[in-house]
Amino acid sequence: MSVRQNMGYGLKIAKLPKDEINAKVVEAAKLLQLEALLDRKPKQLSGGQRQRVAMGRAIVRQPAVFLFDEPLSNLDAKLRVQMRLEIKELQSKLGITSLYVTNDQVEAMTMADRLIVMNAGVAEQIGTPLEVYETPRTLFAAQFIGSPSMNIIDARVKGGQIILGDQPVAEAIGSDGPVKLGVRPEHLVFDEGGPISLNIKMAEPLGANTLLHGTLEGTAESFTASMQGVHLLANKQSQIRFGIQTGKAHLFGSGSGLRRTK
C-alpha cells in the first residue's frame, strides 16, 4: 500500500467516509512532513520516514494515548537523535499522553516527563528523570540511569565517614557497617592525593570528555572515570587518583540494595 493508504487503513476498516479519511490523512501528513510522500510505497521510504508513517496511522485515529514500544531501536545513531526530537515535538503539539518503552537510558532521560524504572516486572522507582538520576532509590535504578553506568564498589561507614580501603572518601549518614558506594564517572575529580586510585586499562576520547576505564588499585573491580577534554594516555597502564565531588556519593544497603536515608 502507499503511504496514503497505510495512514488511512484504520479509518477505512472503521468504515469512515472517503472524504473524511482523506482529510484526516492530509492533516496528519502535514504535521509529520509527509505530504510529498503520500503516493510512495514502503520500499521507497527511509527508516525515519517509515516511523513517521507508523505514527501517522495512529494520529489519524485521534487516540487518547500513544504507546511507543522501542520505536527507534532499528535506526542508526544519527537518525535516532533526529527522531527523538521529532517525537518529543509531536507529542508536545498534540498534547496526547504517551507511554514510551525503551532500554535506552538516553532516550528515557531526554524524552520523559515522568520515568518508571522497571526491573523484572516491578517498578523500582517512579519520578522525573532528574529525580531518578540524582537520587536513585535502588542499586538497579542507579546503574540503569546514566551513561556510562554508575560505579558501585564495596565500602563501609565508620564514624560518619565512608571508608574505602583504609581511606575516608566522603561524609556519611547512618550507622556504621558495610555499604555499597555509588559514584558516577562524571562526579569524580582529578586529585593527586585523592583516595580513589584507578589503574587505567583503556581511554576513550569522545571530544568533549574522555572516559577512563580500569580497575581500582588492589582489586579487580571495574571502574570508569570521566574527565573533561581529550586525554591521550601514552601508557595505557597509567595510574590516576581521584576524589568525589562534594555531595555526589550515593550509599546503598549492602544486602538490601536500597538507598540509605538514615
Side-chain angles (χ1 to χ4, degrees):
M1 293 189 292
S2 67
V3 169
R4 188 189 305 274
Q5 291 168 324
N6 263 291
M7 289 175 62
Y9 186 73
L11 302 179
K12 179 182 177 182
I13 295 300
K15 301 187 184 305
L16 265 66
K18 286 185 178 181
D19 289 347
E20 186 176 347
I21 292 174
N22 186 62
K24 288 179 179 291
V25 168
V26 170
E27 183 181 358
K30 287 180 180 178
L31 186 65
L32 294 164
Q33 298 178 0
L34 291 172
E35 296 168 276
L37 308 178
L38 284 174
D39 295 319
R40 291 192 185 182
K41 299 294 177 66
K43 65 181 180 181
Q44 298 172 295
L45 304 176
S46 68
Q49 289 168 341
R50 291 180 187 182
Q51 293 288 41
R52 288 206 292 273
V53 172
M55 286 189 284
R57 285 181 62 150
I59 288 170
V60 296
R61 297 174 62 193
Q62 298 178 320
V65 178
F66 284 135
L67 171 60
F68 293 95
D69 188 1
E70 299 198 60
L72 311 183
S73 59
N74 294 323
L75 303 181
D76 62 51
K78 183 177 181 180
L79 193 51
R80 278 202 302 272
V81 174
Q82 178 186 333
M83 287 301 298
R84 279 208 312 263
L85 295 173
E86 290 187 9
I87 291 175
K88 183 80 174 176
E89 184 179 9
L90 178 66
Q91 193 276 335
S92 179
K93 285 181 179 178
L94 295 174
I96 295 175
T97 298
S98 300
L99 181 61
Y100 191 105
V101 182
T102 180
N103 282 310
D104 187 306
Q105 299 96 324
V106 175
E107 282 182 30
M109 285 290 293
T110 57
M111 299 187 70
D113 295 305
R114 193 161 176 79
L115 189 65
I116 305 175
V117 180
M118 300 292 294
N119 181 19
V122 175
E124 295 252 337
Q125 186 168 356
I126 302 173
T128 67
L130 285 180
E131 284 173 351
V132 178
Y133 175 82
E134 292 176 348
T135 55
R137 182 176 174 271
T138 66
L139 278 173
F140 180 85
Q143 292 184 289
F144 183 79
I145 294 298
S147 182
S149 180
M150 179 185 286
N151 297 297
I152 302 294
I153 47 182
D154 291 318
R156 70 183 192 278
V157 171
K158 183 178 180 181
Q161 295 285 328
I162 303 170
I163 308 298
L164 183 60
D166 296 322
Q167 288 189 286
V169 296
E171 293 184 356
I173 57 174
S175 57
D176 292 357
V179 293
K180 295 288 186 181
L181 168 63
V183 57
R184 296 197 181 278
E186 60 269 30
H187 293 154
L188 292 161
V189 290
F190 174 68
D191 182 353
E192 290 184 355
I196 297 175
S197 181
L198 180 60
N199 294 318
I200 309 297
K201 290 186 175 180
M202 184 180 73
E204 282 188 290
L206 302 177
N209 65 310
T210 300
L211 298 181
L212 303 176
H213 304 281
T215 56
L216 290 179
E217 184 180 19
T219 76
E221 292 189 75
S222 297
F223 203 85
T224 300
S226 177
M227 296 182 70
Q228 287 191 339
V230 176
H231 299 270
L232 299 175
L233 303 178
N235 179 4
K236 291 184 180 180
Q237 296 301 323
S238 298
Q239 189 177 78
I240 300 180
R241 303 192 77 88
F242 295 94
I244 302 174
Q245 290 181 22
T246 303
K248 297 301 184 181
H250 303 266
L251 284 186
F252 302 90
S254 184
S256 68
L258 296 176
R259 185 179 189 84
R260 279 181 50 146
T261 57
K262 61 180 181 177

